[in-house]
């Protein structure tokens, strides 16, 4: 993959790419889609802040593999909803991996117009299985009709808010998978003040202090304790 230069001179590392694909192997076709996505992200990063610039040299392990690992936790899921998709993690990455799966679609929900424009271009150049929604999370439940298998979010909001965002989908049969950092235990403690949940925690295979919170049941402890609206 040709190296592109950003405003700070960083670019994704070929060694990091190899390490990421060893951690989370994908098909040759998916590799090609991910290469096109990464090239586009580096190009847009110069004008729109999509990822922390310091993470660019390790973009493949920090962002691509981190996203791909969700597939093993929901191997039969075809219809995904990615809340606050931002630069496309995990949503675009999942959509690249699912592009050859009949009936698959990842709904990418993003209220920032510039980021939504990037997501649309990413879907176009990769032929990923995705639909971009320029919308706030509070508006999206009614827009997405039919079955949803899995709802995801990464670097979006504290866990107690994420649980609230996901509750309408999980109540209809979806699984929730949230990528969180080292403060996950404190976030879980806070979330249980508002929600009856039985989380399963999975250590991120990409190392560091990352975790995946898996939920397949959400019940409100006190409906008046959560304020709803256009929250993300």
């Amino acid at each position: 993959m040709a190296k592109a230069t950003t405003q700070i001179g960083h670019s994704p590392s070929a060694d990091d790419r190899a390490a990421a694909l060893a951690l989370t192997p994908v098909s040759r076709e998916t590799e090609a889609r991910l290469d096109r996505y990464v090239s586009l992200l580096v190009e847009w990063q110069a004008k729109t802040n999509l990822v922390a610039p310091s993470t660019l040299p390790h973009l493949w392990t920090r962002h691509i593999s981190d996203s791909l690992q969700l597939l093993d936790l929901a191997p039969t899921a075809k219809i995904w909803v990615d809340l606050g998709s931002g630069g496309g993690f995990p949503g675009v990455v999942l959509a690249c991996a699912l592009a050859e799966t009949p009936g698959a679609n990842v709904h990418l929900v993003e209220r920032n117009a510039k980021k939504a424009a990037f997501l649309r271009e990413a879907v176009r150049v990769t032929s990923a299985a995705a639909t971009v929604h320029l919308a706030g999370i509070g508006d999206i439940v009614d827009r997405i009709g039919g079955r949803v298998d899995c709802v995801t979010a990464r670097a979006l909001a504290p866990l107690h808010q994420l649980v609230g965002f996901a509750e309408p989908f999980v109540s209809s049969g979806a699984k929730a998978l949230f990528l969180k950092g080292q403060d996950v235990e404190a976030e879980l403690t806070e979330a249980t003040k508002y929600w009856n949940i039985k989380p399963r925690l999975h250590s991120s295979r990409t190392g560091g202090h990352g975790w995946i919170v898996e939920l397949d049941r959400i019940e409100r402890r006190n409906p008046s304790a959560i304020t709803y609206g256009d929250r993300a």
Side-chain angles (χ1 to χ4, degrees), residues 3 10 18 24 39-41 44 47 50 71 88 97 121 125 143 148 196-198 219 224 230:
K3 285 193 172 185
H10 286 315
T24 49
S39 293
L40 182 72
L41 186 146
W44 278 60
K47 55 186 177 181
L50 298 170
L71 291 168
E121 183 65 5
V125 302
R143 286 198 192 187
V148 171
N196 289 318
I197 53 176
K198 293 183 179 180
E219 292 179 355
S224 65
D230 189 39

Coordinates of all heavy atoms in Angstrom, one line a residue, residues 3 10 18 24 39-41 44 47 50 71 88 97 121 125 143 148 196-198 219 224 230:
K3 N 2.3 4.8 0.8 CA 2.2 5.6 2.0 C 1.8 7.0 1.6 O 2.3 7.6 0.7 CB 3.6 5.7 2.7 CG 3.9 4.4 3.4 CD 5.1 4.7 4.4 CE 5.3 3.5 5.3 NZ 6.4 3.7 6.3
H10 N 2.9 11.5 9.6 CA 2.7 10.1 10.0 C 1.9 9.4 8.9 O 1.0 10.0 8.2 CB 1.9 10.0 11.3 CG 2.7 10.4 12.5 ND1 4.0 9.9 12.7 CD2 2.4 11.2 13.6 CE1 4.4 10.4 13.9 NE2 3.5 11.2 14.4
A18 N 0.6 -5.8 8.7 CA 0.8 -7.3 8.8 C 0.4 -7.9 10.2 O -0.2 -8.9 10.3 CB 2.3 -7.6 8.5
T24 N -6.4 -10.6 13.2 CA -7.7 -10.8 12.7 C -7.7 -11.0 11.2 O -7.9 -10.1 10.4 CB -8.5 -9.5 13.0 OG1 -7.8 -8.3 12.6 CG2 -8.8 -9.3 14.5
S39 N -6.5 4.2 2.8 CA -5.9 5.2 1.9 C -6.9 6.4 1.9 O -6.4 7.6 2.0 CB -5.8 4.7 0.5 OG -4.8 3.7 0.4
L40 N -8.2 6.2 1.9 CA -9.1 7.3 1.9 C -9.1 8.0 3.2 O -9.1 9.3 3.3 CB -10.5 6.8 1.6 CG -11.6 7.9 1.5 CD1 -11.5 8.7 0.2 CD2 -13.0 7.2 1.6
L41 N -9.0 7.3 4.3 CA -9.0 7.9 5.6 C -7.8 8.8 5.8 O -7.9 9.9 6.3 CB -9.0 6.8 6.7 CG -9.2 7.3 8.2 CD1 -10.0 6.3 9.0 CD2 -7.8 7.5 8.8
W44 N -8.4 12.0 3.8 CA -9.3 12.9 4.5 C -8.8 13.4 5.8 O -9.2 14.5 6.3 CB -10.7 12.2 4.7 CG -11.5 12.2 3.5 CD1 -11.2 11.7 2.2 CD2 -12.8 12.8 3.4 NE1 -12.3 11.9 1.4 CE2 -13.3 12.5 2.0 CE3 -13.7 13.4 4.2 CZ2 -14.5 13.0 1.6 CZ3 -14.9 13.8 3.8 CH2 -15.3 13.6 2.5
K47 N -7.8 17.0 6.3 CA -8.7 18.1 6.4 C -9.9 17.9 7.4 O -10.5 18.9 7.8 CB -9.3 18.4 5.0 CG -10.0 17.2 4.4 CD -10.4 17.5 2.9 CE -11.0 16.2 2.3 NZ -11.4 16.4 0.9
L50 N -10.4 12.5 11.8 CA -11.2 11.3 11.9 C -10.7 10.4 13.0 O -11.5 9.6 13.6 CB -11.2 10.6 10.5 CG -11.8 11.4 9.4 CD1 -11.5 10.7 8.0 CD2 -13.3 11.5 9.6
L71 N -16.6 -9.4 14.9 CA -17.2 -10.4 14.1 C -17.3 -11.7 14.8 O -18.2 -12.5 14.6 CB -16.5 -10.5 12.7 CG -16.7 -9.3 11.8 CD1 -15.7 -9.4 10.7 CD2 -18.1 -9.1 11.3
G88 N -15.5 5.7 11.0 CA -15.9 4.4 10.4 C -15.5 3.2 11.3 O -15.5 2.1 10.8
A97 N -15.8 -6.2 5.7 CA -15.7 -7.7 5.9 C -17.0 -8.4 5.5 O -16.9 -9.6 5.2 CB -15.4 -7.9 7.4
E121 N -18.4 8.3 1.2 CA -17.3 8.1 0.2 C -16.6 6.8 0.5 O -16.2 6.1 -0.4 CB -16.3 9.3 0.2 CG -15.2 9.2 -0.8 CD -15.6 9.3 -2.2 OE1 -16.8 9.5 -2.5 OE2 -14.7 9.1 -3.1
V125 N -16.1 3.8 -2.3 CA -14.8 3.3 -2.8 C -14.5 1.9 -2.4 O -13.8 1.2 -3.1 CB -13.7 4.2 -2.4 CG1 -13.9 5.7 -2.9 CG2 -13.4 4.2 -0.9
R143 N -36.2 5.0 11.9 CA -35.7 5.0 10.5 C -35.3 3.6 10.1 O -35.4 3.3 8.9 CB -34.5 5.9 10.4 CG -34.8 7.4 10.4 CD -33.6 8.1 9.8 NE -33.7 9.6 10.0 CZ -32.9 10.4 9.4 NH1 -31.9 10.0 8.6 NH2 -33.0 11.7 9.7
V148 N -32.7 -6.2 13.5 CA -31.3 -5.7 13.8 C -30.7 -6.8 14.6 O -31.2 -7.2 15.6 CB -31.3 -4.4 14.5 CG1 -29.8 -4.1 14.9 CG2 -31.8 -3.3 13.6
N196 N -30.7 -2.8 34.6 CA -30.4 -4.2 34.9 C -29.8 -4.8 33.7 O -30.4 -5.0 32.7 CB -31.8 -4.9 35.3 CG -32.4 -4.4 36.6 OD1 -31.7 -4.3 37.6 ND2 -33.7 -4.2 36.6
I197 N -28.5 -5.2 33.9 CA -27.8 -5.8 32.8 C -26.9 -6.9 33.3 O -26.5 -6.9 34.5 CB -26.9 -4.7 32.1 CG1 -26.0 -4.0 33.1 CG2 -27.7 -3.7 31.3 CD1 -25.0 -3.0 32.4
K198 N -26.6 -7.9 32.5 CA -25.7 -8.9 32.8 C -24.6 -8.9 31.7 O -24.6 -9.7 30.8 CB -26.4 -10.3 32.9 CG -27.4 -10.4 34.0 CD -28.1 -11.8 34.1 CE -29.0 -11.8 35.3 NZ -29.7 -13.2 35.3
E219 N -32.7 -3.9 30.8 CA -34.0 -3.5 31.4 C -33.7 -2.2 32.3 O -32.7 -2.1 33.0 CB -34.6 -4.6 32.3 CG -35.1 -5.8 31.6 CD -35.6 -6.9 32.5 OE1 -35.5 -6.6 33.8 OE2 -36.1 -7.9 32.0
S224 N -37.5 7.1 34.8 CA -37.3 8.5 35.0 C -35.9 8.9 35.2 O -35.6 10.1 35.2 CB -38.2 9.0 36.1 OG -37.8 8.5 37.4
D230 N -32.0 13.9 21.6 CA -31.0 13.8 20.5 C -29.6 13.9 21.2 O -29.0 14.9 21.4 CB -31.2 15.0 19.5 CG -30.3 14.8 18.3 OD1 -30.2 13.6 17.8 OD2 -29.8 15.7 17.8

